[in-house]
Amino acid sequence: MGDYVVHIVDDEEPVRKSLAFMLTIAGFPVRLHESAAAFLAAAPGLRNACLVTDLRMPEISGVDLIRRLRDMAVQVPSIVITGHGDVPMAVEAMKAGALDFIEKPFEDEVLIGAITRAAAELDRHAAAQDSAAILQRLAQLTDREREVLAGVVAGHANKTIAYDLDISPRTVEVHRANVMTKMEAKSLPELVRMAITAGFVPK
């Protein structure tokens, strides 16, 4: 779980510190924010972040915080902590894009489980972004470069690809180098992984 930072937003310092202690013990990197405004100031530069926010806060509520993140197009899976009387507001938070809401008082495992689900959401989003970026790079390849890539993904040697395409092995090498550059692949295994991620199936 070390790849994900859990950001705790709560206006009450004892609550922030209590949550931070519990999550740190559970192995999560944690950052604390005393207000929604403080978190929003840092939000645009965040990567691999999960948000745990109290629902009732002065100035900007947890619901408003999640709405503002959505308006800023900041992808941060959010978990709302709420009191018993706040369930209708918590449902509003879910409609605004919150991943989960947890009623006080709660067991540590309930919050840990919610954060684990939020991390899985981040993985899915990263995979989708990864796939979209790879498809953009694939679109830059010429027809011949795509044919060479198909041969590479199929596991064929340069000589075999050259024979199949009726071109010289040297020409295959040039095309293959161009493919590596355009796809921004640092190695052959990485190139193959990219092709598989993007669903590139050789004809």
Side-chain angles (χ1 to χ4, degrees):
M1 287 303 303
D3 289 345
Y4 307 101
V5 177
V6 180
H7 293 261
I8 297 170
V9 179
D10 198 302
D11 58 306
E12 296 180 26
E13 187 178 7
V15 176
R16 289 198 304 273
K17 288 189 172 179
S18 172
L19 288 173
F21 179 76
M22 182 262 286
L23 292 174
T24 301
I25 294 292
F28 295 95
V30 175
R31 298 283 181 276
L32 303 181
H33 307 268
E34 62 187 18
S35 68
F39 178 74
L40 284 169
L46 293 181
R47 290 177 60 82
N48 287 356
C50 299
L51 170 64
V52 176
T53 180
D54 192 42
L55 190 59
R56 287 188 178 275
M57 293 185 291
E59 296 178 21
I60 302 172
S61 71
V63 178
D64 288 336
L65 171 56
I66 290 164
R67 284 182 181 139
R68 291 193 191 192
L69 288 171
R70 185 186 61 191
D71 291 344
M72 292 163 66
V74 175
Q75 296 283 345
V76 181
S78 306
I79 299 155
V80 173
I81 296 174
T82 175
H84 287 299
D86 296 334
V87 170
M89 283 177 66
V91 172
E92 281 298 307
M94 296 284 280
K95 288 178 180 175
L99 199 65
D100 214 337
F101 73 88
I102 299 172
E103 282 189 89
K104 302 171 188 172
F106 54 85
E107 298 292 326
D108 294 356
E109 289 74 20
V110 175
L111 180 56
I112 290 168
I115 291 170
T116 303
R117 287 192 295 277
E121 188 72 16
L122 276 171
D123 283 339
R124 281 192 291 275
H125 179 66
Q129 278 194 323
D130 195 26
S131 182
I134 292 167
L135 284 169
Q136 283 183 331
R137 293 174 205 159
L138 274 171
Q140 296 172 9
L141 301 182
T142 64
D143 288 344
R144 181 62 91 193
E145 286 165 354
R146 291 174 74 89
E147 289 173 340
V148 169
L149 176 58
V152 170
V153 173
H156 296 156
N158 284 356
K159 286 182 180 178
T160 306
I161 297 170
Y163 179 82
D164 289 344
L165 299 179
D166 197 23
I167 55 178
S168 73
R170 174 66 189 139
T171 303
V172 171
E173 286 176 19
V174 172
H175 285 312
R176 187 161 153 173
N178 288 341
V179 169
M180 295 282 284
T181 300
K182 288 182 180 179
M183 294 298 294
E184 298 176 26
K186 298 178 183 66
S187 65
L188 185 59
E190 186 180 13
L191 180 65
V192 173
R193 180 194 66 78
M194 285 180 174
I196 293 168
T197 298
F200 179 78
V201 180
K203 293 178 182 177

